[in-house]
Amino acid sequence: MSLLIKNATIVTADEIFIGDLLAVAGVIKEIGAGLSSPDAEVIDATGKYLFPGFIDPHVHIYLPFMGTVSKDDYASGSKAALMGGTTTLIEMCCPARNADPVEAIRLWKGNATGISSCDYTFHMGVTRFDETTAESLDAIVRDEGITSLKVFLAYKGALGIDDRELYETLSFAAERGLIVTAHCENAELVAEMQKKLVSEGKTGPEWHEPSRPVTVEAEGCHHLMTFAEMTGAEVYVVHTSCIPAVEAITAARARGVKAHIETVASYLTLDSSYAELPNFEGAKYVMSPPIRSKEHGDFLWEKLADGTIDTVGTDHAPFDFKTQKRMGHPENALDASMNATGKPGDFTLIPNGIPSVEERVKLLYTDGVCEGKIDLQTLVRTASTNPAKIFGLYPRKGALEVGSDADLVIWDPEFRGEISVTTHSMATDYSAFEGKAIKGRADFVTVRGQVLVRSGEWAGSGGEGEFLVRVP
Ligand code: URP
Ligand code: ZN
Ligand code: ZN
């Protein structure tokens, strides 16, 4: 099937111009003016933007975590992504420490195969590094087509690794030309701060941020940078939330460390006051690192605009409010054994994460482009082209070039709407952006030429996505 998009304002990371685009058999065949093709479906995009499909470099679809499992599956998660203009997902494969890595990546892949409507790949989580790990990871790179790893410096006793394991993982990656993504918070400090606050009776969601302050994140970043410097590994800091963290990474860059910076849409568009909402509503906004005060969000926008921050993901980690987030409610005695005090319900038991895969591009466009904080090219660069370049998908993805996959987003800048749980496609029972007025929407979305969103309505049937094989 062929598609001819006419009169679009074509936006890439480098240029903006009015033109036509012809896609044949799932790839871009021609870009220019006055194109015609008798067999193609013709779409008039006058007054609309044409973007390359957006890539979310950090999502969790299947996440067994903090005593529960995330809410989406690939049917709901990829549909939600596409409704928001995201055509490729990079999911974190997060095995338990005692799990077999090869079995884990097969499990995570199996969840997506034949179900995902987005194209997809994975960052392979390294949650243990022992004498068998190198062999397993080599097999995963060679046989499973994965070229990026994930480590957690946080989550002591769960997904987190120690310094010896960090050193081994980075050395392994450096030798093989793999990139290591990392969650950077000092796990020991978080554990101590949590114990202290809970013992003082500070148990509500509003104490989550003080338990993991900006210094704790900055230490995590500096820590990773030191290990990257010693091993020569290329690293990518996920969900960077604050000024000192960005500064720790840019200082390392100045020393020659190959470091990339990701932030996420929630840090740009929410602030720490949301975690203070009454009636436990603050739990909806508990994620790690925490959402910071507004000055940090303002700084992140500036650093996005000036190119310091490379990418914007979501860290989509969907947990229901009424059941899962309430595991940390004082009335909930079920998980008392899991927290620092053995007493029921506190913020340390609230599953960390915010559902957001559907909202990233709308938020970046509404709060960023329409407010003059970033331009259209920065939107494309940070939410599509840079993720593709950093993670070995470019120019197949992240580009509007002849030969690239026809992953296309026609964006209607005139659309006005509101975000709501009643209309979103994610599986969670709440939206962290409930009632937010949005400008613009993904009107028409394709993955390799398959039309999955039409006039803002779902047009897919499931399973259209493919696993993206990568080589180091
Ligand atoms: O709060 C978060 N970020 N939840 C998901 C797990 C992670 O750390 O990415
Ligand atoms: Zn994380
Ligand atoms: Zn994450």
Side-chain angles (χ1 to χ4, degrees):
M1 153 154 181
S2 305
L3 288 171
L4 178 59
I5 299 170
K6 297 285 293 176
N7 307 314
T9 303
I10 297 176
V11 186
T12 71
D14 304 314
E15 48 183 353
I16 302 185
F17 58 95
I18 296 190
D20 305 342
L21 182 147
L22 176 66
V24 178
V27 295
I28 298 174
K29 177 108 187 291
E30 215 177 338
I31 301 172
L35 301 186
S36 64
S37 171
D39 304 329
E41 175 184 352
V42 180
I43 295 145
D44 180 19
T46 306
K48 296 182 182 170
Y49 297 121
L50 175 59
F51 298 129
F54 291 98
I55 300 169
D56 195 330
H58 182 172
V59 300
H60 303 269
I61 302 295
Y62 173 60
L63 179 63
F65 186 50
M66 296 185 73
T68 187
V69 182
S70 54
K71 200 62 204 307
D72 275 306
D73 58 16
Y74 263 93
S76 60
S78 67
K79 176 182 172 189
L82 283 154
M83 291 293 282
T86 294
T87 53
T88 295
L89 296 174
I90 311 185
E91 190 190 359
M92 301 291 175
C93 170
C94 297
R97 194 172 162 81
N98 60 0
D100 177 74
V102 175
E103 282 173 20
I105 191 66
R106 290 187 182 152
L107 169 66
W108 258 260
K109 262 189 187 179
N111 291 335
T113 310
I115 297 171
S116 181
S117 292
C118 292
D119 281 353
Y120 56 93
T121 180
F122 301 87
H123 303 302
M124 182 63 212
V126 180
T127 50
R128 176 186 85 224
F129 203 108
D130 62 17
E131 58 290 345
T132 64
T133 305
E135 195 184 326
S136 299
L137 293 179
D138 274 330
I140 288 168
V141 173
R142 187 186 60 236
D143 305 334
E144 307 292 340
I146 305 283
T147 58
S148 47
L149 307 179
K150 170 72 186 287
V151 292
F152 292 90
L153 309 193
Y155 307 135
K156 183 170 146 67
L159 299 170
I161 55 170
D162 65 25
D163 279 354
R164 184 206 43 88
E165 293 172 309
L166 177 61
Y167 180 81
E168 302 248 20
T169 305
L170 293 181
S171 302
F172 172 91
E175 281 163 19
R176 289 152 177 85
L178 309 176
I179 183 166
V180 180
T181 72
H183 175 139
C184 295
E185 289 179 295
N186 185 300
E188 298 293 338
L189 284 171
V190 171
E192 292 306 321
M193 294 300 292
Q194 287 181 333
K195 258 192 265 171
K196 181 171 179 297
L197 290 166
V198 172
S199 71
E200 290 167 1
K202 295 169 176 168
T203 58
E206 70 277 20
W207 294 103
H208 175 72
E209 198 279 339
S211 77
R212 332 168 75 101
V214 295
T215 8
V216 166
E217 184 182 343
E219 197 289 324
C221 293
H222 176 68
H223 203 84
L224 178 77
M225 294 304 125
T226 310
F227 279 67
E229 199 168 354
M230 300 302 290
T231 56
E234 181 175 355
V235 291
Y236 174 101
V237 180
V238 300
H239 50 38
T240 311
S241 78
C242 62
I243 299 167
V246 172
E247 287 175 346
I249 303 163
T250 52
R253 278 180 178 168
R255 305 195 298 273
V257 177
K258 287 170 280 177
H260 306 276
I261 306 178
E262 172 196 275
T263 192
V264 300
S266 300
Y267 297 146
L268 293 163
T269 56
L270 300 169
D271 63 61
S272 50
S273 66
Y274 286 88
E276 294 161 14
L277 287 174
N279 303 321
F280 203 63
E281 291 275 317
K284 293 176 177 174
Y285 303 91
V286 166
M287 68 173 288
S288 295
I291 296 170
R292 310 294 186 186
S293 58
K294 189 174 172 303
E295 58 167 332
H296 295 283
D298 292 344
F299 177 84
L300 295 176
W301 280 116
E302 280 167 31
K303 294 296 146 188
L304 206 54
D306 76 11
T308 304
I309 295 178
D310 300 285
T311 66
V312 183
T314 55
D315 191 15
H316 175 70
F319 296 102
D320 271 345
F321 177 59
K322 290 202 191 83
T323 50
Q324 296 174 299
K325 290 279 185 181
R326 280 190 82 85
M327 289 163 66
H329 190 278
E331 282 167 11
N332 190 340
L334 289 178
D335 297 294
S337 61
M338 288 168 54
N339 69 5
T341 59
K343 294 195 185 112
D346 68 58
F347 68 85
T348 68
L349 297 176
I350 301 169
N352 288 197
I354 295 187
S356 42
V357 72
E358 192 162 353
E359 320 300 6
R360 177 181 60 142
V361 184
K362 289 176 219 168
L363 293 169
L364 286 172
Y365 185 79
T366 302
D367 285 8
V369 175
C370 295
E371 294 300 314
K373 291 177 184 163
I374 57 169
D375 59 19
L376 287 165
Q377 280 146 308
T378 302
L379 168 69
V380 169
R381 193 177 68 244
T382 58
S384 178
T385 307
N386 282 351
K389 285 184 172 171
I390 293 168
F391 295 116
L393 297 170
Y394 187 85
R396 178 174 177 191
K397 306 291 187 189
L400 293 176
E401 287 177 19
V402 172
S404 297
D405 281 357
D407 295 355
L408 308 171
V409 176
I410 299 179
W411 188 263
D412 178 4
E414 301 305 325
F415 179 84
R416 295 292 176 268
E418 202 174 87
I419 295 177
S420 175
V421 64
T422 59
T423 47
H424 76 193
S425 298
M426 299 179 288
T428 47
D429 66 355
Y430 80 99
S431 168
F433 308 95
E434 187 67 39
K436 182 172 176 62
I438 49 134
K439 297 177 178 166
R441 75 163 178 195
D443 233 18
F444 184 91
V445 182
T446 68
V447 173
R448 285 173 286 100
Q450 306 162 98
V451 181
L452 301 181
V453 177
R454 203 181 266 283
S455 303
E457 300 289 331
W458 179 240
S461 45
E464 297 88 345
E466 274 180 6
F467 174 72
L468 300 167
V469 176
R470 295 180 287 151
V471 286

